[in-house]
Each structure stands twice: as C-alpha cells, then as structure tokens.
Amino acid sequence: MASDLLILLIRGKQQVGLQLFCLPLGPPLVPLTSRPGTEKGEIRQRNQTSPVDFILEGLFDDSLTHLFLFILTMVVFLIAASDNILTILLICADSQLHTPMYFLLSQLSLMDRMHVSTTIPKMATNYLSGKKSISFVGCATQHFLYLSVAGAECLLLALMSYDRYVAICHPLHYTVLMNRKVGLMMALVSWLGASINSLIHTVILTQFPFCGPQKIHFYCEFPAVVKLVRGDITVYETTVFISSVLLLLLHILLVSTSYAFILHSIIQMRAAGSKRNAFATCSSHLTVVSLWFGACMFSYMRPRSQCTPLQDKVGSVFYSIITPTLNPLIYTLRNKDVAKALRRVLGRDITQRQQLELP
C-alpha cells in the first residue's frame, strides 16, 4: 500500500514538472472550481495574464574572434544607417530629385533604415550588457515592426518596377502616368498593406501557448517564433506558407512582366546611347530586387522541417544587415543624377560658408 502511494506521488510530480515546462506566452488557462448548478467534476477555465520573457541567444560569444565580428557588424550597421539617412536628406534637399522615382527611392531608404534599427540595437545592447532576455511586449513589438518594414519593402520594390516600365516604354507620358499622386499612393499602399498583414500575424502568434525555454537565435522574426509554439499548428503554418509563396510569386510576376516589356523596348531602340542609359536605369533596381526577393525566398519559402539553426542565422544576418546596407550603395554609386545632386548640395554649402567668412 505504501509503495503504491509513493508511485502515485512520483507520477504527480512528473506531470507537474511537464506542466511547468510549457508556459503560454499569452494568457494561460487556469482551472476554476465547479459552480453550483453544474455537474460534478466539471472544470471551467478563464484567462490570467502571465508575461514570459524570450531569450535572444545572439550571434556572438565572449571570444576575441566574435568580438571582432561584433565590431564589424556595428561598423556595417553605422554604414547602413548613415547611407540611408544621407540618401533621404539628399533627395529632400535637391529640387531636381523631386520626382516620383526618387520619392520612391527615399521611401526605400527609410524602410532600410528602420529595418536595421529594429534588430541591431537590441542585439548590441544585449551583447554589451551580458543580458539575453527580451520581454513579451518587446518581442511582439519587434516582430510587428520588422514584418511591417520587410513586407512594405517587398511591395514597394514590385511597384517600382512599374515606374521603370513607364519611364522606358512610355517616356512621353511619364508625367501623366507617374505623377506625384501616383507615387504617394504607391508608398501608402506599401506601408498600409504591410502593416495590416504584420498586425494580423502578430496578434495571432501572441494567442498561442509557447513551450520553454523560449530561445531565439537573433531577433523575434516569424520563423523563429513559430518554432516555439506548443501544440499542432500545421494548418496555420501551411496557410502562412502558401500565402507567402503566392504573394512572392505575385510580386515576382509583376516585376518580370514589367521587365519583359522593358527588354522588348530596349531591343527596338536604335541608338546605342539610349540602350546604355536604359540598362543603367534598370540594373540598380534589378540588383536590389534580386537580393531582396532571394533573401525572402530563402527565409520564408522553406518548410520548417528543412531549416537548420545555421541556415536560420545566415539568412537572418543577410536579410536584416547585408541587404539594407547594400541597397543605398547600389542605387547611389551607379546613379549619375544622385552623384550630380550630391556635388550640387556640397558646392552650395561650400559657397555659403565662403560668403559668410567674407568681411
């Protein structure tokens, strides 16, 4: 009899330990005692908030090699932040860049600036302070911001291909087909559509229970957070996977269709100079599109069963650091209008300083 009681006590402790290991991120369900008028043994459940922190494992440890990699990452972050801010300020300062094309480019630079600012500062703070935690609210906020900016950039890059199509295939009607109102609508659709999509996915994810330990490799991105969900969410994962594939294919189809018409128009051009200008105009956008959509496909079009931690880290670094750093460099270094505008702005400042120094 005593041995049977001991076995029952051990099994009860094991069940309690399992229940404590899996913690819901959102409001956990707490059983209540049965109320009068209900059947005996009936259990009711209600919500009770209990915030749970995530653990950001980060990219670096305390070794000298990783310290060097951390410094290199911060240098890349500063380059990305300064390049994108410089592009935005230059487009705002020079009146000759006040066109729909450069307005959309300024929005792209703003998205890249926000993208790196959403993830890198938190990673750097945790590395320097020795802390690896991020609160539930902080993780949800980071997830919403990064998914909003990433989605907006995908939409904007696809819409920018239409701008290139109009500029090369219908140059005489460019001011009519691509005026300031159309540019504003493109930017608004990109920001608003991506924010709504991000809000929906963030709200859905926060309602799921999560199993501990809540470890995330770098930041609170969608694939990393989904891996921590307790229970069977195959239907939701399949829905997200199919919708992501369809959206990416739709964007790629829009870009491919635009550039098919552009290529047809370039082939029909007789002047070699016109062909070079057309290729130079489109090459920067095509390069940025290839980098961005390639990173998106690598991160979101792979089934979870085929993902490895190393692949996730490499994809996250390329997607969140490398691409936002390269985008402004690709657009500005190969763009003669931006180079001329930079010389005009710098020349104007130098002239004003010389006039102020004169007695």
Side-chain angles (χ1 to χ4, degrees), residues 272-331:
S274 300
K275 290 184 178 181
R276 284 195 300 268
N277 292 333
F279 276 119
T281 303
C282 299
S283 59
S284 299
H285 180 256
L286 267 178
T287 305
V288 172
V289 166
S290 301
L291 287 173
W292 187 259
F293 282 97
C296 288
M297 293 171 66
F298 182 80
S299 298
Y300 296 105
M301 293 181 66
R302 294 178 303 152
R304 188 169 72 170
S305 58
Q306 299 181 6
C307 298
T308 63
L310 179 60
Q311 290 177 347
D312 290 340
K313 283 189 176 183
V314 172
S316 298
V317 170
F318 189 85
Y319 181 78
S320 60
I321 302 176
I322 305 300
T323 304
T325 305
L326 293 178
N327 286 351
L329 296 177
I330 293 171
Y331 266 108

Side-chain angles (χ1 to χ4, degrees), residues 225-290:
V225 175
V226 167
K227 288 182 179 180
L228 301 177
V229 175
R230 181 184 64 181
D232 186 12
I233 56 169
T234 307
V235 175
Y236 176 65
E237 278 190 296
T238 305
T239 304
V240 172
F241 178 76
I242 294 175
S243 62
S244 300
V245 170
L246 291 177
L247 286 175
L248 281 174
L249 290 179
L250 180 62
H251 295 160
I252 293 173
L253 179 62
L254 178 59
V255 174
S256 302
T257 304
S258 299
Y259 277 98
F261 284 108
I262 290 173
L263 183 61
H264 182 263
S265 298
I266 292 176
I267 292 174
Q268 291 182 339
M269 293 179 181
R270 296 181 179 179
S274 300
K275 290 184 178 181
R276 284 195 300 268
N277 292 333
F279 276 119
T281 303
C282 299
S283 59
S284 299
H285 180 256
L286 267 178
T287 305
V288 172
V289 166
S290 301

Side-chain angles (χ1 to χ4, degrees), residues 15-220:
Q15 291 178 356
V16 171
L18 289 174
Q19 291 176 357
L20 289 176
F21 182 71
C22 290
L23 297 174
L25 241 186
L29 299 175
V30 180
L32 296 177
T33 56
S34 58
R35 296 181 180 178
T38 60
E39 297 180 1
K40 184 178 180 179
E42 180 182 358
I43 298 177
R44 295 182 179 273
Q45 295 178 325
R46 70 178 178 180
N47 291 335
Q48 176 182 350
T49 58
S50 176
V52 177
D53 289 346
F54 282 104
I55 299 173
L56 298 179
E57 294 182 334
L59 299 174
F60 314 108
D61 54 30
D62 296 331
S63 64
L64 291 177
T65 303
H66 280 227
L67 177 61
F68 171 76
L69 292 176
F70 170 75
I71 295 174
L72 181 62
T73 301
M74 296 309 299
V75 171
V76 173
F77 166 72
L78 293 176
I79 293 174
S82 58
D83 282 353
N84 285 291
I85 291 176
L86 179 61
T87 302
I88 296 171
L89 294 177
L90 185 62
I91 292 173
C92 293
D94 191 84
S95 59
Q96 295 189 21
L97 298 183
H98 293 175
T99 62
M101 172 186 171
Y102 290 105
F103 169 73
L104 296 177
L105 180 58
S106 68
Q107 295 298 303
L108 183 66
S109 296
L110 178 61
M111 293 171 185
D112 286 332
R113 177 67 176 84
M114 291 181 62
H115 201 166
V116 294
S117 300
T118 302
T119 56
I120 305 302
K122 178 61 179 176
M123 181 271 292
T125 302
N126 284 1
Y127 179 79
L128 294 175
S129 64
K131 298 179 181 178
K132 294 187 176 183
S133 63
I134 183 172
S135 65
F136 164 61
V137 176
C139 187
T141 303
Q142 190 181 68
H143 179 272
F144 169 76
L145 290 175
Y146 113 86
L147 196 59
S148 297
V149 175
E153 190 155 350
C154 284
L155 280 171
L156 188 65
L157 286 173
L159 294 174
M160 287 175 71
S161 65
Y162 172 76
D163 171 76
R164 296 297 82 211
Y165 159 75
V166 175
I168 294 175
C169 298
H170 304 282
L172 299 178
H173 300 89
Y174 181 80
T175 56
V176 177
L177 297 176
M178 272 301 301
N179 50 39
R180 181 174 297 181
K181 183 178 180 181
V182 175
L184 288 172
M185 287 298 298
M186 285 183 175
L188 182 62
V189 168
S190 300
W191 283 109
L192 189 60
S195 298
I196 293 174
N197 174 71
S198 177
L199 181 62
I200 292 172
H201 284 296
T202 303
V203 170
I204 291 176
L205 275 179
T206 55
Q207 303 306 309
F208 289 132
F210 287 76
C211 277
Q214 291 83 17
K215 291 184 178 181
I216 298 176
H217 54 82
F218 180 23
Y219 62 95
C220 295

